[in-house]
Amino acid sequence: MTGEPPFRAPASPLPGRSASPVRVLVVDDSALTRRVLMAALNGASDIEVVGSAANGQECFAKVEELQPDVVTLDVEMPGMDGLAVLRQLMARSPLPVVMVSYLTHEGAEATVRALLDGAVDFVPKPGGPILGSVVTLRDELVRKVREAARARPRVGRPRLSTTTHRLPPVSVSPRPAPPPPARTPLRASDGFERLVILGASTGGPQALQAVVSDLHPDGRTAYVIVQHMPDGMTTVLADLLASASPLLIREARQNDRLAPDVALLAPGDWHLRFGPRGTIELDQGPKVHWVRPSVDVALLSAAEVYGSRIVTAVLTGMGSDGADGAVAVKQAGGTVIAEDKSTCVVYGMPKAVAQRGAAEHIVPLPQVAPTIRQLLAGTGRTRQPSLV
């Protein structure tokens, strides 16, 4: 699509659809860690480790020589660290990268920065003796490498739209669209008029940064963000998103109150729900779609409490989390936006929302924030897009 950031598709066929394995290059300065990662990956029948590298220069040479489908990249390497290597990879020959990092505070910050710079996902290095943690590491590493092979990494930071007057075009079905729900007046009991909920998974940090950078305080709208992420990383993500947004963004806490122009990010490993009078409730109930926090948990709760006051956008991500919640939001009179396939790193969650018929607006990433702004201003018409 003209004007959109370019993408790179996986070099090999999708796992499960061809005999061709996912070709992986392992990059880590530790010879022991390289051996452990290679053994874990080679244990999967649909993955082949085609090489390894101990530093950035070796990585660049091996990428050019071997043309891997996925690179696993250590965050903390001496000399040229993983962030510097990632940025050069994205500039030279962008391909799916899975970061590998200890989740210390420094490691968590570097990992989140890597996700903002185009890494598809990350795997935490196990604590304690690494050889004793191979089984724990293997399943997550193999799963995320398989998912990365399906991803289309975004090259560079997403461009923001300057369009503010008209909604972007979408494919419209011949059926007449129902009228939009009546605008809800400000409720003094909770102090805000509308609630915007953003949900994302794989590729989400980059997409979220693009959206929140282009949202404007209006004194009437509260925000919640749900990104699939473990404990220890969402505080960093909230700080980095806040540095790029005119909104006040921070990690949510138990019994927080929703407030205009404040975006609360669901903390890693905690589901976020909505209590009476605009309060936030956090719990560590069972994982939903194998994740916690879950977009569905937040949206289903919000639909019960806020109904037609909700505008939600489901962004890039693997799986179907958010689809059930989006249906509930639509049935309650709220408005649902899904990111278009053309800009998704992984077209899973938005696709599930669209296939369920819940998305009233399907737009590329640079148009998500303008669409939200126009809906909040009451200038956006509800439309029923046809599925492509």
Side-chain angles (χ1 to χ4, degrees):
M1 181 177 294
T2 304
E4 301 298 332
F7 291 92
R8 179 188 186 275
S12 67
L14 297 182
R17 297 187 183 180
S18 169
S20 299
V22 178
R23 295 164 47 83
V24 182
L25 174 68
V26 173
V27 183
D28 198 292
D29 66 295
S30 164
L32 175 59
T33 302
R34 290 197 302 274
R35 288 198 297 271
V36 170
L37 296 176
M38 292 167 70
L41 291 169
N42 278 327
S45 61
D46 57 344
I47 295 175
E48 176 188 2
V49 177
V50 295
S52 65
N55 55 54
Q57 293 305 320
E58 286 186 18
C59 172
F60 302 139
K62 291 290 182 68
V63 166
E64 185 174 352
E65 173 191 355
L66 301 172
Q67 295 293 300
D69 302 322
V70 178
V71 171
T72 70
L73 178 59
D74 184 21
V75 169
E76 299 161 349
M77 296 189 297
M80 182 182 292
D81 65 16
L83 278 176
V85 173
L86 173 69
R87 289 165 184 156
Q88 288 203 32
L89 276 178
M90 292 296 105
R92 293 183 180 198
S93 54
L95 77 170
V97 174
V98 176
M99 306 302 293
V100 182
S101 172
Y102 291 114
L103 292 186
T104 60
H105 176 75
E106 293 78 10
E109 181 172 353
T111 302
V112 175
R113 289 186 182 276
L115 296 173
L116 291 171
D117 283 335
V120 170
D121 214 327
F122 73 95
V123 176
K125 286 187 177 180
I130 191 167
L131 289 177
S133 304
V134 173
V135 174
T136 303
L137 170 71
R138 182 186 60 208
D139 291 346
E140 183 174 6
L141 178 65
V142 167
R143 175 175 60 83
K144 290 191 173 181
V145 164
R146 286 172 177 154
E147 292 177 355
R150 296 175 167 88
R152 301 185 301 170
R154 189 176 289 110
V155 182
R157 299 294 174 90
R159 300 175 186 175
L160 301 182
S161 171
T162 57
T163 303
T164 58
H165 299 296
R166 290 191 299 175
L167 283 173
V170 295
S171 300
V172 182
S173 69
R175 299 188 306 273
R183 186 167 176 141
T184 306
L186 178 68
R187 294 188 182 181
S189 62
D190 52 33
F192 61 94
E193 180 180 347
R194 303 295 294 275
L195 172 62
V196 172
I197 303 175
L198 306 176
S201 184
T202 312
Q206 237 188 354
L208 289 169
Q209 185 179 59
V211 174
V212 301
S213 299
D214 206 15
L215 292 174
H216 304 161
D218 61 8
R220 297 178 289 117
T221 306
Y223 298 84
V224 163
I225 302 169
V226 181
Q227 164 69 44
H228 295 168
M229 195 165 270
D231 183 30
M233 295 186 67
T234 44
T235 301
V236 176
L237 177 61
D239 290 343
L240 292 174
L241 291 177
S243 68
S245 175
L247 302 175
L248 174 61
I249 303 176
R250 63 174 176 81
E251 192 177 50
R253 299 183 292 262
Q254 179 71 12
N255 296 322
D256 267 341
R257 282 189 172 276
L258 297 170
D261 307 328
V262 176
L264 299 177
L265 174 67
D269 203 32
W270 291 81
H271 289 311
L272 184 149
R273 305 175 198 266
F274 300 89
R277 293 183 171 275
T279 57
I280 294 294
E281 298 178 351
L282 303 175
D283 69 76
Q284 289 189 305
K287 293 183 177 181
V288 177
H289 305 292
W290 301 279
V291 297
R292 190 173 54 221
S294 162
V295 180
D296 268 337
V297 167
L299 290 181
L300 289 168
S301 174
E304 291 184 2
V305 179
Y306 297 110
S308 63
R309 299 169 69 184
I310 302 169
V311 173
T312 186
V314 178
L315 308 176
T316 176
M318 184 71 66
S320 62
D321 188 29
D324 289 342
V327 170
V329 167
K330 181 180 179 182
Q331 291 175 343
T335 305
V336 179
I337 302 166
E339 183 180 351
D340 187 73
K341 179 180 180 180
S342 64
T343 56
C344 283
V345 173
V346 175
Y347 187 54
M349 289 166 53
K351 179 181 179 181
V353 170
Q355 288 181 333
R356 295 285 297 276
E360 295 167 276
H361 304 277
I362 299 177
V363 297
L365 181 61
Q367 293 296 333
V368 171
T371 303
I372 292 172
R373 295 200 312 265
Q374 291 169 41
L375 289 166
L376 295 176
T379 59
R381 293 191 299 112
T382 300
R383 302 183 182 190
Q384 295 290 339
S386 61
L387 298 182
V388 178

